[in-house]
Amino acid sequence: MEETHYRSCNLCEAMCGLQIEVKNGTIHSFKGDPLDTFSRGHICPKGPELKSLYEDPDRLKFPIKKTEFGWEKVSWVEALSDIATKVVAIQSKYGNDSIAIYNGNPTVHNYGSMLYGQRFVSRIKSKNNYSATSVDQLPHQLLSYLMFGHQLLVPIPDIDRTQYFLILGGNPFASNGSLMSVPDVKKRLKAIQDRGGKYIVIDPRKTETADHASEHIFIKPGTDVFLLLSILHVIFKLKLNKPNPLLKPDDLTSLQNLVMEFSPEKVTNITGIPTQTIERISDEFAKSSSAVCYGRVGVSTQEFGALCQWLINCINTITGNLDTEGGAMFTLPAVDLVGEGSVMRSSPGSFNTFQSRVRNLPEFNDELPVSALAEEILTEGDGQIRALFTSAGNPVLSTPNGSKLEKALSGLELIVSFDFYVNETTRYAHYILPPTSAVEHDHYDLIFNVFSVRNTARYNQPIFSPEEGMLHDWEIFSDLTKRIELVRSGKELPKELIKTKLTPASIIDHALKSGPYGTKNNMEIQMSLELLKNSPHVIDLGPLKKSFPERLYTIDKKINLFPHVLHNDIPRLKSKFEQHLDQNQFNFPYLLIGRRHLRNNNSWMHNLPKLMTGKPRCTMMIHPEDANQLGIQNEEEVIVSSNVGELKIPVEITKELMKGVVSIPHGFGHNRNGTKQKVASQFSGVSINDLTDDQVLDEFSGNAAFSGIQVKITKISK
Ligand SMILES: Nc1nc2c(c(=O)[nH]1)N[C@H]1C(S)=C(S)[C@@H](COP(=O)(O)OP(=O)(O)OC[C@H]3O[C@@H](n4cnc5c(=O)[nH]c(N)nc54)[C@H](O)[C@@H]3O)O[C@H]1N2
Ligand SMILES: Nc1nc2c(c(=O)[nH]1)N[C@H]1C(S)=C(S)[C@@H](COP(=O)(O)OP(=O)(O)OC[C@H]3O[C@@H](n4cnc5c(=O)[nH]c(N)nc54)[C@H](O)[C@@H]3O)O[C@H]1N2
Ligand code: SF4
Ligand SMILES: [Mo]
């Protein structure tokens, strides 16, 4: 029997359409869907590996429990009942905050897990709520909340119409775009050049994206904030700023006053970018018929990540490129998470309404920075964490100072992991609760439609039924949440699974029908789940449209160009500036940055053999002159050390890197005992997060600062 299925890939943010041929119950071929008007047939090497993931012999399908004899299979009911009982006992003994939760990145690629995971979090009622947000895009969401009144009003580059695209700290050729869902990004970037525009990359490494750019500019890691301030300085100085009725005059004056002292001459030595270059790109940007500045992981994960995202928004706004075609725009998705009155409206956000217990780090959107997780477990006292839930995450490899977190995990009373692998984090669990894999469950992209370069909608149906007795993430969360409520109210626990009629699909159906393209509108499209089920390819809802002031959710319906709380971070900025001007000498001569590769996906796809072919990827890149000075050869192993740890890694000598900068990819380090990923352990590599420091972060937002970690490199004497 032969069948063709269409759905989108949910591995990264690009949402590429897939055409999947199934013959006699197995996947025969995986191709890009040529009829998908959004991805236009594009896929990357990871997409087809959804098949390997589905067939991976190391993938867990049923719950396991750690016993003195090792891992043992248990029934769902036994596992979930025991966990519910323990949660209630731990919370009664130590208080609600004694249970912590960490949600990893794939949560947002799995709508069932997201919807039911959020309910679980709200019922646990602990302030120890963590996620990968605080090692990633927290500054973007924070600034959207502060400037536009909703954390998900994130400005998206209008890549298909812009004439000038200024990219800082993003490598879409490898990542396929982020906070910019953009399948087929290479062609879309080339199209800017073909229509006479430019795209410019500012990055300490001449990346794959930079290699094809109209211009690449090296920058010293961690100094983007000064570059951005000086771009604004030039724009104001040349009076290239444009009026905007949504701005408040006082804000503009404060911004102008702030940037006054950051002239290109003053920041050139700090950033390593020539004065004339800063002046030229500022001028080109402001004078272009349309332009957009965009900064991603490389600038969010810096000591001034929040200020960087703020200044990027300011550059777009004051040059007349916010909410305009070819600039930074806002989406209007079919399931609207932002609009007032939407049934699925998410919280607009919150900031610093409470702080972490040990270090007083600020909350954002009811979450604490994950850099605080280890110390919240290790530091004794009231409110200490005693138990942890992880869902779709691997914080031992993905958060700063992973080794410290490991020490912390080994002392917990209960760890429960929602995951289908025994990996570097879940090996510490007492229970692993494995969900179905992507091709066995349905999916509607709630999040990446909010960050997409076009408004689109599609519903992804499962390709295979899961094995008898397997559960989806949302079913596990749903049962466990109810079981905890039953224990709390002293009721007996049922001996069978607790089913719910409210499926994620039914929740979405209601949101689609009542949403912006729903049945109440007099539009051609009457959006519903039924419509999407009958549309095998993506439904295009058009390019991004101007949406302010209607979708601006600040109280006064104006843009907060200079949000008041940001003033609190200016003294820290100025003191760093002084430190730089003093030519402060560092003890550690090299600055370490990360990198991504098209065939990796954070820490978790290294067990798929086809993705692991080719040259070894876990190397430390270094410039030839630096290598020469250290007397090291290509592929030679060196010791890299930082404030928190050291590791041994082979060297890759390349002119791609700026001098004084070295780069190690994250997500490796599969050499720890007790994991069960055979392929990954053969390509183990080492973890950069054994060098990154949980104490170094953007103190204002709480986001981790991975870019520009100071390291020492030592040749191993023979
Ligand atoms: N293939 C693949 N795709 C992925 C992922 C993956 O692991 N693999 N991960 C997904 C996830 S979770 C995310 S968040 C996105 C991230 O998407 P991107 O942000 O596009 O990802 P990166 O490739 O990490 O790009 C960050 C860039 O910042 C540069 N950089 C480092 N420090 C600095 C600095 O101080 N200043 C400047 N200007 N640049 C700096 C780095 O050299 C790098 O080129 O990718 C997603 N897509
Ligand atoms: N130094 C440094 N560190 C970084 C970064 C960096 O650039 N540099 N990038 C950071 C970024 S942007 C991110 S997003 C984080 C990612 O950090 P994490 O989210 O903590 O880690 P992942 O490697 O994405 O691990 C995902 C886990 O989810 C499991 N999984 C996959 N799909 C599902 C599913 O559908 N359900 C369930 N229950 N489990 C699933 C996988 O098996 C895997 O164990 O890493 C961060 N860490
Ligand atoms: S680019 Fe992203 S969405 Fe597209 S096939 Fe690759 S992993 Fe999947
Ligand atoms: Mo991420």
Side-chain angles (χ1 to χ4, degrees):
M1 213 181 67
E2 283 185 35
E3 296 157 33
T4 306
H5 295 261
Y6 297 94
R7 62 177 285 154
S8 62
C9 172
N10 67 336
L11 291 170
C12 86
E13 305 182 27
M15 301 187 287
C16 298
L18 303 171
Q19 178 180 311
I20 305 157
E21 309 288 342
V22 175
K23 272 192 195 165
N24 302 325
T26 53
I27 297 174
H28 178 68
S29 82
F30 245 104
K31 290 194 188 110
D33 175 4
L35 298 179
D36 183 304
T37 51
F38 186 45
S39 58
R40 314 181 293 205
H42 171 267
I43 49 167
C44 85
K46 293 187 295 302
E49 295 314 304
L50 282 169
K51 171 180 156 78
S52 317
L53 190 61
Y54 171 63
E55 292 169 355
D56 189 343
D58 288 338
R59 179 164 72 99
L60 300 172
K61 295 183 177 166
F62 298 100
I64 52 174
K65 176 183 180 173
K66 195 177 276 157
T67 70
E68 54 183 309
F69 313 107
W71 290 107
E72 282 183 7
K73 272 195 173 173
V74 276
S75 74
W76 284 110
V77 172
E78 186 189 331
L80 294 165
S81 299
D82 189 34
I83 295 164
T85 311
K86 288 197 165 121
V87 165
V88 177
I90 290 171
Q91 285 193 317
S92 330
K93 190 166 168 196
Y94 304 110
N96 285 352
D97 295 338
S98 59
I99 306 264
I101 299 155
Y102 172 82
N103 270 298
N105 167 274
T107 309
V108 284
H109 295 272
N110 176 336
Y111 84 137
S113 163
M114 218 182 102
L115 291 170
Y116 278 84
Q118 278 170 357
R119 276 176 48 148
F120 175 75
V121 168
S122 71
R123 302 295 154 81
I124 290 290
K125 298 191 184 95
S126 165
K127 71 175 199 181
N128 280 306
N129 181 18
Y130 302 86
S131 81
T133 293
S134 50
V135 283
D136 186 351
Q137 82 290 356
L138 193 159
H140 293 254
Q141 286 180 243
L142 172 61
L143 266 300
S144 290
Y145 165 65
L146 295 175
M147 295 178 81
F148 314 127
H150 198 292
Q151 55 167 326
L152 294 178
L153 270 175
V154 173
I156 310 300
D158 188 12
I159 188 170
D160 290 338
R161 289 180 291 190
T162 196
Q163 284 301 99
Y164 199 92
F165 193 7
L166 185 60
I167 303 175
L168 294 91
N171 184 11
F173 272 42
S175 68
N176 285 300
S178 182
L179 296 189
M180 169 174 74
S181 287
V182 56
D184 206 12
V185 67
K186 272 189 196 177
K187 286 203 188 118
R188 286 176 141 111
L189 285 171
K190 171 131 192 327
I192 302 178
Q193 295 166 322
D194 290 346
R195 60 179 178 261
K198 280 188 180 179
Y199 86 87
I200 311 238
V201 174
I202 300 182
D203 199 303
R205 177 178 154 230
K206 187 167 191 197
T207 60
E208 301 83 342
T209 312
D211 215 19
H212 291 78
S214 319
E215 186 175 353
H216 166 242
I217 300 163
F218 280 122
I219 184 167
K220 284 191 202 156
T223 65
D224 297 67
V225 69
F226 301 109
L227 167 69
L228 294 162
L229 285 160
S230 76
I231 291 178
L232 283 161
H233 174 101
V234 177
I235 293 170
F236 279 122
K237 191 170 150 201
L238 301 180
K239 299 200 168 43
L240 294 173
N241 49 312
K242 304 214 173 81
N244 182 334
L246 295 176
L247 296 183
K248 294 171 275 195
D250 286 357
D251 279 0
L252 255 182
T253 315
S254 308
L255 179 65
Q256 200 163 355
N257 288 342
L258 172 70
V259 303
M260 204 110 82
E261 66 179 290
F262 298 94
S263 63
E265 292 76 18
K266 282 208 185 145
V267 308
T268 179
N269 284 339
I270 299 175
T271 58
I273 304 181
T275 312
Q276 300 87 325
T277 309
I278 302 175
E279 285 166 348
R280 180 173 48 78
I281 57 167
S282 311
D283 187 68
E284 282 176 4
F285 188 96
K287 288 184 180 158
S288 178
S289 57
S290 63
V292 58
C293 180
Y294 158 86
R296 234 351 240 128
V297 158
V299 286
S300 300
T301 55
Q302 297 193 3
E303 271 182 88
F304 293 97
L307 287 187
C308 282
Q309 292 305 335
W310 170 54
L311 295 165
I312 286 171
N313 287 346
C314 287
I315 291 173
N316 289 327
T317 309
I318 69 153
T319 56
N321 287 299
L322 185 80
D323 194 34
T324 54
E325 286 182 17
M329 300 195 79
F330 302 92
T331 54
L332 184 63
V335 174
D336 186 10
L337 305 185
V338 170
E340 256 164 17
S342 166
V343 292
M344 293 281 288
R345 187 176 211 238
S346 72
S347 153
S350 57
F351 180 53
N352 207 9
T353 58
F354 60 89
Q355 294 75 30
S356 68
R357 178 180 64 108
V358 178
R359 218 189 319 168
N360 271 318
L361 294 176
E363 151 277 346
F364 173 68
N365 192 34
D366 280 341
E367 282 185 30
L368 288 168
V370 71
S371 294
L373 178 57
E375 69 199 17
E376 291 293 332
I377 300 173
L378 292 167
T379 313
E380 287 178 13
D382 267 2
Q384 183 182 1
I385 296 171
R386 310 287 177 156
L388 173 70
F389 282 82
T390 70
S391 168
N394 191 1
V396 165
L397 295 192
S398 61
T399 64
N401 204 348
S403 317
K404 179 170 168 187
L405 182 61
E406 277 190 281
K407 278 187 210 111
L409 294 184
S410 53
L412 283 173
E413 290 181 22
L414 175 70
I415 303 179
V416 179
S417 292
F418 286 58
D419 208 302
F420 33 63
Y421 283 123
V422 184
N423 67 20
E424 297 69 22
T425 301
T426 61
R427 73 192 169 116
Y428 288 98
H430 299 96
Y431 280 102
I432 302 182
L433 307 177
T436 53
S437 81
V439 293
E440 297 158 305
H441 60 73
D442 69 345
H443 181 56
Y444 179 90
D445 223 306
L446 288 172
I447 288 297
F448 298 105
N449 281 309
V450 176
F451 301 140
S452 174
V453 300
R454 273 184 92 83
N455 292 313
T456 64
R458 95 180 290 153
Y459 175 64
N460 302 295
Q461 312 210 40
I463 299 172
F464 299 115
S465 304
E467 244 172 70
E468 178 72 30
M470 286 180 76
L471 297 179
H472 304 305
D473 277 289
W474 68 269
E475 291 176 312
I476 310 171
F477 271 124
S478 169
D479 179 291
L480 183 59
T481 311
K482 287 191 184 135
R483 232 165 258 270
I484 290 172
E485 301 280 337
L486 288 173
V487 181
R488 278 181 181 154
S489 51
K491 300 219 173 84
E492 207 171 308
L493 291 177
K495 300 274 180 286
E496 60 289 330
L497 286 168
I498 312 171
K499 299 275 181 197
T500 174
K501 284 203 185 100
L502 191 69
T503 61
S506 64
I507 299 174
I508 293 311
D509 187 30
H510 180 45
L512 288 167
K513 284 179 181 152
S514 62
Y517 311 87
T519 42
K520 284 193 211 116
N521 297 284
N522 297 323
M523 286 187 285
E524 224 178 281
I525 289 177
Q526 303 271 298
M527 192 56 81
S528 70
L529 190 65
E530 197 55 31
L531 175 76
L532 293 182
K533 278 187 176 168
N534 292 322
S535 316
H537 313 287
V538 77
I539 294 190
D540 185 33
L541 301 167
L544 305 188
K545 291 199 183 77
K546 186 169 167 42
S547 56
F548 280 3
E550 295 76 20
R551 268 171 93 73
L552 187 55
Y553 289 110
T554 50
I555 294 164
D556 56 7
K557 286 270 171 195
K558 299 271 186 201
I559 294 168
N560 285 328
L561 191 72
F562 204 140
H564 200 72
V565 288
L566 284 185
H567 288 278
N568 299 341
D569 205 22
I570 304 304
R572 189 172 68 102
L573 171 77
K574 292 202 169 166
S575 109
K576 188 77 187 188
F577 188 50
E578 295 301 323
Q579 218 180 316
H580 274 298
L581 291 176
D582 284 352
Q583 294 285 322
N584 188 35
Q585 285 299 310
F586 297 112
N587 293 332
F588 295 85
Y590 290 94
L591 296 178
L592 172 67
I593 60 167
R595 72 178 185 269
R596 283 181 162 74
H597 188 284
L598 190 58
R599 298 165 84 88
N600 298 333
N601 196 14
N602 297 320
S603 76
W604 72 278
M605 291 181 67
H606 295 151
N607 208 47
L608 310 178
K610 283 194 191 147
L611 290 179
M612 301 315 288
T613 52
K615 288 199 306 180
R617 265 171 249 155
C618 191
T619 58
M620 185 193 76
M621 288 185 170
I622 187 166
H623 189 275
E625 285 178 33
D626 289 333
N628 203 15
Q629 209 167 39
L630 289 161
I632 51 178
Q633 309 291 320
N634 213 18
E635 296 178 21
E636 179 174 336
E637 281 204 318
V638 291
I639 292 174
V640 191
S641 48
S642 74
N643 259 338
V644 305
E646 65 172 45
L647 44 82
K648 226 193 253 179
I649 185 168
V651 157
E652 183 177 341
I653 300 177
T654 165
K655 278 196 182 142
E656 275 173 31
L657 275 227
M658 193 174 185
K659 271 195 281 175
V661 178
V662 292
S663 159
I664 299 178
H666 76 284
F668 285 91
H670 309 296
N671 48 354
R672 276 117 156 129
N673 292 330
T675 60
K676 290 188 191 294
Q677 292 188 286
K678 285 184 221 68
V679 180
S681 58
Q682 283 165 37
F683 298 90
S684 66
V686 287
S687 175
I688 185 177
N689 287 323
D690 290 339
L691 296 174
T692 58
D693 191 343
D694 53 318
Q695 301 298 310
V696 176
L697 38 64
D698 174 5
E699 283 166 27
F700 178 75
S701 69
N703 206 41
F706 297 128
S707 298
I709 295 285
Q710 296 175 32
V711 290
K712 214 183 272 177
I713 295 159
T714 319
K715 187 179 163 71
I716 303 172
S717 45
K718 297 253 160 63

